[in-house]
């Protein structure tokens, strides 16, 4: 077997790397990152490593050569740059005679009316993979709860009494990034799934008001929910210095995510596109996803961490 795990220097990829070492032989693995120095600890462990530049199809082709599985973690930037990087990875897999690509997508990625700006990239990537000779597993992840626990604690530390969002009363099956990374590791270890589309959902459907109730009960705080329209939320993010897209300056932003991504995801929630009552998490991984109650009881272990919204 040859299993290529890309992006092991990132928050998600590093978790996949940790989990997969418990599932498959180290001899079957190739770990990649954009910079070689980020791979030193894996190299010292005896794992094969490679520097992956997603703007270099020929370089990727050499890394992916005859791979049984290649993990493509959605890039942390949005728009044409991400679509180009994803296409380069898919093209390299085809040219390298790779067998299967595992792609981290999002719920409702193929829905034609999904309003999320990020969904454009995911639906595009799914489509080019499906129209290639590659076998595939799409992991359509729900929203990472870490983004919301981090925002909750930010509000607490800033002595704010309310959090403003445009999620209406829509429901989300919030899931931990750790659970999604474990699901990716399990998919890389699975030889039975072919041309599969899996929904990776959390334990329960929750509105944002429900989420705050759980957080308040666990922490003893009393944060309330202020419902905003899309335009009101854009104005709020602009006022506190959150960039609208990944080309912006994040150095002074209190939130390491784009307002465009967050606002359109909020619209997606409001309109019900993330309330998908079907999950393949347990059948893939053999265990239940973590509850939001558990996450808040161990909240320091479930925060967003450093985000890298550009190629650097």
């Amino acid at each position: 077997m040859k299993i290529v795990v890309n992006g092991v220097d990132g928050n998600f990829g590093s978790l996949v790397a940790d989990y997969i070492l418990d599932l498959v032989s180290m001899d079957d693995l190739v770990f990649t990152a954009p910079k070689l120095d980020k791979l030193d600890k894996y190299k010292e462990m005896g794992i094969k490593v490679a520097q992956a530049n997603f703007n270099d199809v020929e370089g990727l082709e050499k890394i992916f050569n005859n791979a049984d599985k290649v993990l493509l973690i959605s890039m942390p930037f949005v728009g044409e740059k991400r679509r180009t990087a994803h296409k380069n990875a898919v093209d390299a897999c085809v040219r390298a005679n790779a067998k299967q690509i595992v792609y981290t997508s999002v719920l409702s990625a193929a829905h034609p009316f999904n309003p999320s700006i990020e969904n454009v990239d995911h639906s595009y990537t799914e489509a080019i993979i499906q129209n290639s000779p590659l076998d595939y597993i799409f992991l359509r992840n729900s929203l990472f709860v870490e983004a919301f626990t981090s925002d909750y604690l930010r509000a607490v530390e800033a002595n704010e009494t309310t959090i403003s969002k445009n999620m209406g009363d829509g429901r989300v099956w919030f899931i931990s990034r750790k659970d999604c990374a474990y699901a990716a590791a399990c998919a890389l270890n699975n030889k039975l799934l072919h041309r599969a589309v899996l929904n990776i959902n959390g334990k329960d459907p929750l509105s944002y008001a429900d989420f705050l109730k759980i957080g308040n009960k666990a922490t003893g705080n009393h944060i309330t929910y202020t419902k905003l329209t899309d335009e009101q939320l854009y104005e709020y993010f602009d006022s506190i210095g959150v960039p609208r897209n990944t080309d912006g300056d994040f150095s002074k932003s209190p939130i390491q995510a784009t307002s465009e991504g967050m606002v359109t995801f909020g619209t997606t929630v409001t309109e019900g596109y993330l309330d998908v009552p079907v999950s393949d998490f347990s059948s893939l991984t053999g265990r239940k996803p973590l509850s939001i109650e558990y996450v808040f009881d161990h909240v320091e272990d479930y925060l967003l961490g450093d985000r890298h919204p550009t190629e650097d």
Side-chain angles (χ1 to χ4, degrees):
M1 286 285 288
K2 178 180 178 180
I3 298 172
V4 181
V5 183
N6 292 299
V8 297
D9 59 322
N11 290 316
F12 191 93
S14 62
L15 289 169
V16 177
D18 289 342
Y19 291 135
I20 200 167
L21 284 170
D22 290 331
L23 298 175
V24 305
S25 169
M26 193 167 62
D27 295 336
D28 293 337
L29 298 171
V30 179
F31 286 174
T32 85
K35 297 179 180 178
L36 279 175
D37 62 343
K38 301 294 185 180
L39 296 165
D40 286 346
K41 73 171 184 177
Y42 300 115
K43 188 176 182 180
E44 290 172 4
M45 294 169 61
I47 298 169
K48 292 184 284 291
V49 300
Q51 183 175 11
N53 178 352
F54 281 78
N55 293 313
D56 177 11
V57 177
E58 289 186 2
L60 292 176
E61 183 182 351
K62 293 176 183 177
I63 298 169
F64 300 163
N65 185 49
N66 289 321
D68 294 281
K69 297 205 177 226
V70 175
L71 176 64
L72 175 58
I73 300 170
S74 178
M75 300 293 168
F77 39 91
V78 181
E80 185 177 352
K81 287 188 294 186
R82 174 156 63 172
R83 294 192 294 275
T84 297
H86 288 185
K87 185 176 187 303
N88 288 343
V90 174
D91 288 346
C93 282
V94 173
R95 288 168 52 171
N97 193 38
K99 306 301 185 295
Q100 185 181 73
I101 189 166
V102 177
Y103 175 59
T104 62
S105 189
V106 294
L107 286 176
S108 295
H111 199 298
F113 301 124
N114 186 328
S116 168
I117 190 70
E118 296 206 16
N119 197 65
V120 175
D121 301 345
H122 292 296
S123 60
Y124 168 86
T125 305
E126 286 193 7
I128 61 172
I129 292 171
Q130 287 180 316
N131 287 280
S132 78
L134 295 169
D135 190 7
Y136 58 82
I137 298 175
F138 296 155
L139 301 173
R140 289 182 175 171
N141 295 323
S142 187
L143 296 187
F144 292 168
V145 72
E146 284 84 354
F148 295 87
T149 52
S150 297
D151 189 41
Y152 179 93
L153 292 189
R154 177 201 60 78
V156 170
E157 291 168 5
N159 293 315
E160 296 176 7
T161 59
T162 190
I163 296 177
S164 300
K165 292 194 181 297
N166 65 327
M167 294 168 66
D169 296 315
R171 303 192 308 176
V172 179
W173 301 68
F174 294 104
I175 190 166
S176 169
R177 177 172 58 197
K178 292 184 179 182
D179 276 344
C180 290
Y182 185 63
C186 289
L188 290 170
N189 187 43
N190 189 299
K191 300 177 184 178
L192 303 177
L193 291 170
H194 303 283
R195 302 185 74 81
V197 179
L198 306 182
N199 292 329
I200 307 300
N201 254 327
K203 184 174 178 289
D204 300 299
L206 301 172
S207 68
Y208 189 66
D210 295 331
F211 173 85
L212 288 181
K213 286 179 184 177
I214 295 171
N216 287 337
K217 183 178 179 180
T219 65
N221 294 293
H222 301 283
I223 304 294
T224 62
Y225 173 27
T226 298
K227 297 176 185 176
L228 298 182
T229 65
D230 292 0
E231 193 52 46
Q232 287 172 327
L233 190 54
Y234 271 125
E235 290 174 1
Y236 166 71
F237 283 137
D238 289 346
S239 72
I240 63 173
V242 178
R244 291 215 171 191
N245 56 52
T246 52
D247 292 327
D249 179 8
F250 284 83
S251 63
K252 297 180 181 178
S253 174
I255 303 171
Q256 296 303 297
T258 68
S259 63
E260 192 173 51
M262 290 185 288
V263 170
T264 58
F265 258 129
T267 308
T268 304
V269 173
T270 300
E271 296 181 359
Y273 291 99
L274 296 186
D275 189 3
V276 180
V278 176
S279 181
D280 302 295
F281 177 85
S282 293
S283 60
L284 175 63
T285 66
R287 65 172 174 81
K288 294 180 180 180
L290 299 172
S291 69
I292 305 310
E293 288 83 358
Y294 178 90
V295 167
F296 265 110
D297 286 342
H298 305 81
V299 71
E300 294 300 327
D301 296 326
Y302 295 92
L303 299 176
L304 198 56
D306 293 334
R307 182 175 171 86
H308 307 284
T310 68
E311 298 96 323
D312 296 330

